[in-house]
Amino acid sequence: MAAITAALVGALRAKTDAPMMECKKALTEAEGDMERAEEILRVKLGSKASKASSRITAEGVVASHIAGKVGSLIEVNCETDFVTKNDDFLALANTCAKLIAEHNPADIAALGALPLDGKTVEEVRAALVGKIGENMSFRRFVRFDTSAKLVSYLHGTRIGVVVEFDGADEQVGKDVAMHIAAMKPVSLSSDQVPADLIEKERSVAALKAAESGKPADIVAKMVDGSVQKFLKEVSLLNQTFVKNDKQTVEQMLKSVNTTVKAFTMFVVGEGIEKKQDDFAAEVAAQVAAAKQA
């Protein structure tokens, strides 16, 4: 069992906004397992404890390039928010987005090998690291080559969305891309929601329902209802359209004869745990070491 340190409790609190003592209790019950502790808090405190899934934990930018029916989306990471405003860093991200669309590299290594200004992309990246004094990396990218239409939306530089759609009005595609950036669906339709997410939601719902003390058949219905509600909330077509709360996205699309075929969204730092220095712990450790010397 991992030691339930103040730093571990603080990390769980930062992710969930839950009270400190509740975080400590959850970590104790979960034997130090952070992910399990988050699930316990969701059961006890509700959806507020699910904040971790959308919390931004690393710096960087998302860039996009679209030329006709070919396009790209890329996330480029760095260490601090300060660098995300650097002109050279932004230019490299935008240039790489264009190179991906034009050259279709197979992976990050292939992107790094592409020629750029008499060097390779990797050499340009390394030179910029030396100039700025901060590490940076190409985290992920996706390329689009489709018979449908493409539209992109960047919310600042931290969220990027590309939508593939069929329809006469390009503004509809842009509206859908903005909706995705705001509501962050995980799939196009409910039947495309990843099985692991559904199972995790079912597990949380079962724990909540079990605490109600109701008969097993009622508990089963409560669990199924919770899962169905979750599927609607995280699938694009079932979400309430942000520009008209009287319609779902699917209803809006049908009213304008438009079909969304697919979408991709990148959120900077999604899934990355950002290193946080605990200066108080460092000082305490140094004092303890000095006393033992």
Side-chain angles (χ1 to χ4, degrees), residues 172 176 179 188 232-233 235-256 258:
V172 174
V176 172
H179 171 99
L188 180 62
K232 289 182 179 180
E233 289 175 345
S235 55
L236 173 63
L237 296 178
N238 288 308
Q239 289 181 334
T240 300
F241 185 38
V242 292
K243 294 184 72 173
N244 182 356
D245 61 7
K246 307 300 183 189
Q247 292 180 309
T248 63
V249 172
E250 184 174 31
Q251 289 169 337
M252 181 278 293
L253 291 170
K254 285 183 178 179
S255 71
V256 291
T258 299

Side-chain angles (χ1 to χ4, degrees), residues 10 47 71:
S47 60

Side-chain angles (χ1 to χ4, degrees), residues 16 59 71 191 238 283:
T16 64
E59 304 301 335
D191 60 352
N238 288 308
V283 171

Side-chain angles (χ1 to χ4, degrees), residues 214-232:
K214 295 183 178 180
D217 58 333
I218 301 298
V219 167
K221 291 179 180 178
M222 291 172 63
V223 172
D224 287 340
S226 295
V227 172
Q228 290 305 312
K229 182 174 181 289
F230 168 75
L231 291 175
K232 289 182 179 180

